[in-house]
Amino acid sequence: MKKIFSLLLIIYCMYAWLHVSFDVKASGNTDTIDIQTSDTQETGQKDIPVTELDLGEFSDVMIVGEKQLLAVTVLPLDSTESNIIYASSNTSVATIGGLGRITAVSAGVTTITASCGGKSASFTLTVEEKKSDHIAVTELDMGDYQSKMETGSTQLLSVTVLPLNATENTITYVSSAPKTASVNSMGRISALSVGKATITASCGGKSVSFSLKVIKKKDDKIPVTDIEIAEHEDELAVDKTLTLTATVIPSDATDSKVTFRSSNETIATVNSSGEVKGISKGKVTIYASAGKITKKIPLNIKVETAAININNTYLVMKPKDTYKLNANVTPSEANQSITYRSVDEEIATVNQNGAVTAHSLGSTTIIVSNGDTSAAVSVIVNQSNEHINDTQQKNENKEVIKEFSNTIEASTVSVVDRDTLNYLYTNKKSLNIVGEGYQIEIDGNDIVNYENELYTDIQLSKDNEGTRFVINKKEYICGEITLLLDNPEGKYLYLYNDAKKKYESVGATDIKRLLITIPGEYLITDKKINGNADIIRYIFIAGGVLVLVGAGVYIFLKKGYWFW
């Protein structure tokens, strides 16, 4: 018993020594403490039981005739038992070999089970019949055809088999009255004599037909009475094309061929199919003629706009401030007629001379357009009185022009939207957002995704642990931002890990100027948060309890000798 008591004292001393050792390590390395222990060496080999079977990747749906090989892992990996036994609850559906290879036999459902060391894992396998490769014909489309023909004339049918990938695609044609109208294997109909016939096309068990009337060939010509021009654009850009479609009326007119010509081929050309191509800027007339009828088609050939250039595409203004936008179109031959429009006139308005006037707090967009293309100007109206350059000058309309600062207030602009972030990114500009107790700096060079909008409101709260705040409502941010705090209390920065339900250390060289790339809940504190402190404390307490229990047992057994 003395040996037992001595052994317990030694164990207690070891726990105490470990506790002191951990404290020393924690004072030098803030975040992690590694505890390594070793089992007592034993001469005999221990049995390591199986705790779990991992089925790995597998498919729970198979086609008849398919095979798959299971890759089952016995856990732990050093288990002394490694022989895996496989079974199928319904071998008529699927069989499985001793190495885990499954063979799908017939349609149905079975349970595949793997067993080892008293543990098992299983899954339900569904076996389906092999799908047929045959694709049936569902419909025949007759296409365009003439239901009336003159004797001696021919027409070629254009029948389409649906679906297009149907297995059967050979079409057969039959005429109910071959002496009136015959049809060959290619679908060519020949009108032979006056009468009626039904023409039928068949494929894959489906048929389609129409009634054909054959009339006597007329010797008199049928004149063209009109030419109908299909709807089309009346403007065409240089080097672009459009196709005019002309229909002769009546459809059986003798001279039904339509010809096209251009009034000025230096401006636009037209081919025999009615395709018009723009050559140079100007107005031109295309003539469509058939028989004795001619139709005029006026077109405006224009130079396509390459870009609208604006003197400023991002404005930060105060209420009642004005700014004159100057815009021009390139190339110079393009339409130079510029219009301006404000998306939200309660925030800011703009006249047709480009003068922007700020009215109330918020943000809006000015749309600049010449009818061909458009450009946008982002406008933010806030209460900031700071200006990078407060120099004023008068324009030709006696309107005041100002160059505004890149500082806005969080109380007036709740979110930095995609258009603003895109502007900062494209032009490599910076934006400073001033809030209560903090500032946010956004540098266009640090933006990696301007689609991620940035919320400007940051609520700073203090408690016994330190100062807490949430960045961007825990949503993805546009890139690296800089957060400047007025009076941070603490020297350690932590980010809360929602998955692990704990705070994790974040390296911060300057607690007053934080570089933030990850959204979430942050904590600034004077105390180090050590996730292993509770474990060490519990080990120490358990060691003390163990020693006290051992001492009590020893006293109970030896008390007779002591009192004697």
Side-chain angles (χ1 to χ4, degrees):
M1 184 57 70
K2 289 182 179 180
K3 292 181 179 180
I4 296 174
F5 182 69
S6 299
L7 179 60
L8 292 174
L9 286 176
I10 290 171
I11 293 173
Y12 177 72
C13 291
M14 288 179 66
Y15 275 111
W17 177 82
L18 286 173
H19 178 69
V20 173
S21 175
F22 292 152
D23 288 341
V24 171
K25 287 185 178 181
S27 65
N29 188 1
T30 59
D31 293 327
T32 60
I33 298 174
D34 294 330
I35 302 175
Q36 297 182 351
T37 60
S38 61
D39 293 331
T40 303
Q41 296 294 324
E42 296 184 7
T43 57
Q45 182 180 359
K46 292 183 178 180
D47 287 337
I48 301 176
V50 177
T51 60
E52 184 183 355
L53 292 181
D54 183 356
L55 291 178
E57 298 291 335
F58 61 87
S59 174
D60 58 1
V61 178
M62 296 177 67
I63 304 299
V64 173
E66 281 187 345
K67 297 178 183 292
Q68 69 167 308
L69 181 64
L70 295 182
V72 179
T73 303
V74 178
L75 299 176
L77 298 176
D78 58 351
S79 172
T80 53
E81 179 62 51
S82 60
N83 184 32
I84 304 173
I85 299 173
Y86 300 94
S88 170
S89 65
N90 191 344
T91 55
S92 64
V93 173
T95 60
I96 182 167
L99 296 179
R101 183 177 296 278
I102 303 172
T103 301
V105 179
S106 63
V109 178
T110 184
T111 300
I112 302 298
T113 304
S115 303
C116 180
K119 300 293 182 178
S120 63
S122 62
F123 69 94
T124 300
L125 174 67
T126 301
V127 178
E128 298 178 349
E129 291 287 355
K130 184 177 181 180
K131 296 180 180 178
S132 174
D133 294 333
H134 180 77
I135 302 174
V137 177
T138 59
E139 184 182 355
L140 294 179
D141 184 354
M142 182 64 77
D144 293 331
Y145 60 89
Q146 299 174 21
S147 60
K148 184 185 293 186
M149 297 176 64
E150 291 183 352
T151 55
S153 64
T154 61
Q155 68 167 309
L156 181 64
L157 297 179
S158 180
V159 179
T160 303
V161 178
L162 299 176
L164 298 177
N165 60 344
T167 305
E168 179 63 50
N169 56 16
T170 301
I171 305 172
T172 58
Y173 300 91
V174 175
S175 171
S176 64
K179 291 184 178 182
T180 300
S182 63
V183 58
N184 65 13
S185 60
M186 301 298 293
R188 182 177 295 279
I189 303 173
S190 298
L192 303 177
S193 60
V194 176
K196 293 183 178 180
T198 299
I199 306 298
T200 303
S202 303
C203 180
K206 299 293 181 180
S207 298
V208 62
S209 61
F210 71 95
S211 179
L212 175 65
K213 184 178 181 180
V214 179
I215 60 176
K216 185 179 179 180
K217 184 177 180 180
K218 296 179 180 179
D219 295 329
D220 297 334
K221 293 184 177 181
I222 301 175
V224 176
T225 60
D226 194 9
I227 300 175
E228 185 179 88
I229 306 299
E231 188 175 347
H232 59 86
E233 297 288 339
D234 56 5
E235 285 189 334
L236 178 64
V238 172
D239 294 329
K240 301 294 183 180
T241 61
L242 68 81
T243 300
L244 299 173
T245 301
T247 303
V248 174
I249 298 175
S251 60
D252 58 351
T254 304
D255 191 1
S256 60
K257 183 179 180 180
V258 180
T259 59
F260 298 91
R261 68 180 180 88
S262 170
S263 64
N264 190 341
E265 292 194 344
T266 62
I267 297 176
T269 60
V270 60
N271 63 18
S272 59
S273 300
E275 183 181 80
V276 182
K277 182 178 181 179
I279 304 299
S280 63
K281 184 178 180 179
K283 294 185 180 297
V284 68
T285 300
I286 303 298
Y287 297 94
S289 302
K292 295 181 180 180
I293 303 298
T294 299
K295 276 292 185 72
K296 297 180 180 181
I297 308 162
L299 293 176
N300 179 34
I301 309 301
K302 63 181 182 179
V303 176
E304 200 167 35
T305 301
I308 296 179
N309 307 303
I310 310 173
N311 60 331
N312 201 340
T313 58
Y314 177 68
L315 302 177
V316 180
M317 309 176 69
K318 295 186 303 179
K320 298 184 179 180
D321 278 344
T322 61
Y323 187 89
K324 177 67 167 61
L325 293 175
N326 293 318
N328 62 78
V329 180
T330 55
S332 59
E333 295 84 3
N335 182 18
Q336 297 291 327
S337 178
I338 301 291
T339 60
Y340 300 87
R341 178 177 63 86
S342 174
V343 173
D344 190 342
E345 294 190 345
E346 292 185 0
I347 305 298
T349 56
V350 60
N351 64 21
Q352 291 311 305
N353 292 321
V356 180
T357 303
H359 297 293
S360 60
L361 306 182
S363 62
T364 186
T365 301
I366 303 298
I367 305 299
V368 184
S369 175
N370 71 336
D372 294 336
T373 189
S374 299
V377 178
S378 297
V379 179
I380 295 177
V381 182
N382 64 62
Q383 295 175 336
S384 175
N385 292 318
E386 300 178 8
H387 299 281
I388 295 176
N389 183 358
D390 207 16
T391 305
Q392 298 184 2
Q393 58 182 8
K394 300 289 183 175
N395 63 12
E396 57 186 359
N397 295 322
K398 306 300 181 182
E399 293 172 315
V400 178
I401 301 178
K402 290 184 180 180
E403 214 177 294
F404 297 96
S405 79
N406 62 344
T407 300
I408 62 175
E409 295 181 4
S411 60
T412 59
V413 181
S414 61
V415 61
V416 181
D417 59 19
R418 297 178 181 87
D419 292 337
T420 303
L421 291 172
N422 186 17
Y423 171 82
L424 298 176
Y425 170 79
T426 304
N427 297 279
K428 306 304 179 187
K429 300 286 186 178
S430 61
L431 180 65
N432 186 39
I433 305 162
V434 180
E436 187 175 349
Y438 66 90
Q439 293 185 49
I440 301 174
E441 293 179 355
I442 306 175
D443 190 335
N445 292 297
D446 297 327
I447 294 175
V448 295
N449 189 345
Y450 50 74
E451 293 294 327
N452 296 334
E453 297 182 331
L454 181 68
Y455 295 95
T456 62
D457 183 34
I458 297 178
Q459 298 293 332
L460 299 172
S461 61
K462 296 182 179 180
D463 54 30
N464 294 333
E465 290 188 271
T467 302
R468 303 178 194 272
F469 57 90
V470 176
I471 295 294
N472 211 42
K473 298 183 179 180
K474 298 185 178 182
E475 297 181 9
Y476 291 115
I477 56 179
C478 55
E480 183 180 79
I481 62 174
T482 302
L483 177 64
L484 294 86
L485 301 176
D486 291 350
N487 295 303
E489 296 180 1
K491 55 184 179 180
Y492 302 109
L493 179 65
Y494 292 90
L495 174 62
Y496 188 74
N497 188 323
D498 290 313
K500 297 181 180 179
K501 305 297 182 183
K502 68 175 184 179
Y503 281 99
E504 295 181 340
S505 176
V506 179
T509 56
D510 186 355
I511 208 70
K512 291 184 179 180
R513 187 179 181 87
L514 302 176
L515 301 180
I516 305 293
T517 58
I518 303 174
E521 180 183 331
Y522 285 83
L523 171 65
I524 298 177
T525 179
D526 278 325
K527 303 174 183 178
K528 294 182 180 179
I529 300 177
N530 189 349
N532 295 322
D534 290 339
I535 297 175
I536 298 171
R537 188 180 300 110
Y538 293 148
I539 292 174
F540 185 77
I541 293 172
V545 172
L546 186 60
V547 171
L548 291 176
V549 171
V553 172
Y554 180 77
I555 292 172
F556 177 77
L557 295 175
K558 295 295 184 178
K559 64 181 180 178
Y561 297 100
W562 289 356
F563 288 109
W564 180 85

